Amino acid sequence: MKSVLLLQFTRLKRAPALVLSFFILTIIFVAMLAGSESEAKITVYTYSETLDTNEVTNWVATLNQSDGYDFQLVGSSEVKELIETGDINFALQLNNWNYKFLVGTEDEERIAVEQYVTQVFREEIRLNELVGKSEIDKIKFRSEVKLAMENPVITVKTQALEESSEASTLSGNYQLLFGTALHFSIYTVLFSLMNIVDEKRQGTWDRLILSPIRKLQIYLGHLCYCFLIGFLQITFVFLFFDYVYGYDFGFGPNFGAILLIIGSYIFSIVALGMLVMGLVKSTQQLQAVNPLIATGMAMLGGAFWPLEAVSNQLLLALSKGMPIFYGIKALEEVIIYNKGIMEVLPSISFMLLFGVICMGVGVNLMERVKG
C-alpha cells in the first residue's frame, strides 16, 4: 500500500497542474462568493402605496437601526420595473402596520430580511398597543422604554443564535464557504480516482496484480491518496479563510470535530467515486460524468443556497440523500452554533454509512467488470 501511495504522490509531483488548479479555483471562488460578502450589508428596496411620506420615512428609519440591512426608500413603479428586469429579487412593501414582500425570484437573503422585519413590526405593534393616544404620551412612553432597556432590572444572556437575524446572515456567509469548499473537493477526488482507470487501460494495473502487492493494498493505496488530497484541500481552504479573511472557525476547541466531519465527508466522496468507476467503461465517460455528479450533488445538497429557500418537497427529499448536505449541516452546527461532537454524530454516521455502501458496491462492480 505504501509503495502505491508514494507512486501517486510521485505522479502528483511530476504533474501537479490538475490538483493545484482545483486548489486555486476553490480559493478564488470562495473568496469571490463568500469572502466579499462577509462584511456587506443587505440592501432592501422599500416602497409603499398606502402610507404617506412621513409614515413610510419613519418606518424606514426604524428598520435601518440594524447594522446588517440597508432599507432604501424608492417609488413603487421603480421597484416593479427592477423586479421585472431581474435587477433585484425581492422588495419590501410597507402598509398600515403590516408589510408584504414583492418577490420576483426566490432569494435566501429574503428569509433573513423577513425575520428581521417581523421582529421590528412585533416590537412596534406592542409599543403602540401600550402607548397613550396623544403624541406627548407616545414620546414620553418611548423615552421611558428606551431608558428602561438601557438599564434593565434583569439581564438575560442567550446562545440561541438560530433564531436571530444576525445568526441567519452569519450562517449564510459560512454556508456559502462550506458549500463551495466541499463542492470543489468532489472534483479533486473524482479526477484523482481516474488514475485507476488509466492504469487499467494502460496495463499497469495487471503488472501490479502480478507483483507481491495484494490487490487490497493496491486499492488502499489509491483510495488513501484521493482521501488525503481531498482532506488537505478542504482543511487548507478553511485555514486560509480563518487567517486571511478573518473567519472564526474555532479551531481550538472544535478542531477534532471539524477534522472528523471533513474526513467522513471525503470518505463518502471517495467511495462514491469508486461506485462511479464501476459503472462507467472508459475515462471519457468518467470525465463527462464527474461534472454532472459534482454539480448535481452541490445543487441538491444546498452548497450554493440555503435549502430554506427551496419549497419543492421532491428536491428537499433528494437533498437528504446527499453527503454534502450532511457535511454542510454538521460544519454549521459545530462552527457557528458551537455544538459538540455527539450532536453532529447522526450526520457523520450517515456519511460513513453512505461511504461503506458505495465502496462495497463500487469495488464489486469493478471486479465484476474486470472478470
Side-chain angles (χ1 to χ4, degrees):
M1 180 188 117
K2 184 179 177 182
S3 57
V4 177
L5 180 62
L6 292 175
L7 173 64
Q8 303 310 312
F9 278 108
T10 303
R11 287 176 173 174
L12 173 63
K13 184 179 178 182
R14 292 175 179 172
L18 181 64
V19 173
L20 285 178
S21 65
F22 286 126
F23 271 76
I24 296 171
L25 281 175
T26 303
I27 297 294
I28 293 175
F29 273 77
V30 174
M32 290 176 60
L33 298 177
S36 60
E37 295 182 1
S38 59
E39 301 296 337
K41 278 188 174 183
I42 298 177
T43 300
V44 183
Y45 287 89
T46 308
Y47 71 103
S48 178
E49 295 177 335
T50 56
L51 301 178
D52 59 37
T53 305
N54 288 334
E55 289 175 323
V56 71
T57 303
N58 289 336
W59 272 115
V60 170
T62 303
L63 292 168
N64 275 329
Q65 291 177 2
S66 168
D67 294 331
Y69 305 101
D70 179 21
F71 291 86
Q72 295 186 7
L73 184 60
V74 293
S76 59
S77 59
E78 183 181 353
V79 165
K80 292 175 182 176
E81 184 178 348
L82 291 171
I83 292 283
E84 289 174 354
T85 56
D87 292 332
I88 60 175
N89 294 328
F90 65 91
L92 175 64
Q93 181 184 7
L94 296 174
N95 298 314
N96 189 23
W97 291 105
N98 62 66
Y99 65 89
K100 292 192 298 185
F101 277 94
L102 182 63
V103 179
T105 305
E106 275 300 340
D107 190 321
E108 68 273 13
E109 291 181 345
R110 187 186 63 80
I111 298 171
V113 174
E114 185 170 356
Q115 290 178 350
Y116 171 70
V117 174
T118 301
Q119 178 187 346
V120 172
F121 266 78
R122 283 177 179 172
E123 291 177 358
E124 291 299 316
I125 290 172
R126 287 175 186 169
L127 290 173
N128 188 63
E129 290 173 348
L130 295 173
V131 76
K133 294 184 178 180
S134 69
E135 195 64 31
I136 298 177
D137 290 339
K138 291 181 181 178
I139 297 174
K140 182 180 178 182
F141 179 76
R142 285 183 175 275
S143 64
E144 291 175 351
V145 170
K146 183 178 179 181
L147 181 63
M149 293 181 69
E150 291 175 350
N151 301 283
V153 178
I154 300 175
T155 302
V156 178
K157 293 183 179 180
T158 178
Q159 295 182 346
L161 295 176
E162 296 93 334
E163 300 299 329
S164 68
S165 57
E166 288 80 3
S168 296
T169 304
L170 180 68
S171 176
N173 294 333
Y174 277 84
Q175 186 270 343
L176 191 57
L177 171 58
F178 299 152
T180 309
L182 299 188
H183 171 221
F184 275 97
S185 69
I186 300 176
Y187 285 103
T188 305
V189 171
L190 294 184
F191 278 102
S192 298
L193 280 170
M194 287 179 62
N195 290 338
I196 298 179
V197 181
D198 287 335
E199 286 186 356
K200 287 192 172 184
R201 182 175 56 84
Q202 297 168 358
T204 311
W205 184 268
D206 293 331
R207 292 198 291 273
L208 285 172
I209 297 283
L210 295 175
S211 69
I213 305 174
R214 291 183 296 173
K215 189 180 290 184
L216 176 62
Q217 293 176 316
I218 300 174
Y219 275 119
L220 286 177
H222 281 284
L223 297 180
C224 286
Y225 166 74
C226 297
F227 178 88
L228 288 174
I229 290 295
F231 185 86
L232 290 174
Q233 176 175 331
I234 297 176
T235 306
F236 175 76
V237 169
F238 284 1
L239 288 171
F240 180 84
F241 277 85
D242 185 85
Y243 289 105
V244 177
Y245 281 88
Y247 279 70
D248 183 13
F249 284 90
F251 279 121
N254 298 325
F255 190 66
I258 294 172
L259 293 183
L260 181 59
I261 294 168
I262 296 173
S264 303
Y265 170 75
I266 291 298
F267 170 71
S268 68
I269 299 302
V270 172
L272 177 65
M274 288 294 292
L275 175 61
V276 174
M277 285 197 302
L279 295 174
V280 301
K281 296 181 179 178
S282 65
T283 54
Q284 289 77 15
Q285 288 182 355
L286 196 58
Q287 288 174 338
V289 167
N290 284 348
L292 296 177
I293 294 174
T295 306
M297 284 184 59
M299 294 179 72
L300 289 173
F304 301 143
W305 49 74
L307 291 176
E308 288 80 0
V310 179
S311 58
N312 188 297
Q313 295 301 316
L314 176 60
L315 295 179
L316 291 175
L318 290 174
S319 70
K320 302 300 188 296
M322 301 293 125
I324 194 170
F325 167 80
Y326 295 95
I328 295 172
K329 179 183 176 184
L331 288 170
E332 284 185 336
E333 289 177 341
V334 170
I335 295 174
I336 298 177
Y337 304 124
N338 203 29
K339 292 185 178 180
I341 188 81
M342 296 304 295
E343 293 171 280
V344 297
L345 205 55
S347 297
I348 294 175
S349 300
F350 176 86
M351 290 187 285
L352 294 176
L353 177 63
F354 181 91
V356 169
I357 294 174
C358 289
M359 186 69 74
V361 177
V363 172
N364 186 273
L365 284 174
M366 288 190 66
E367 291 301 307
R368 188 174 297 179
V369 169
K370 184 178 183 297

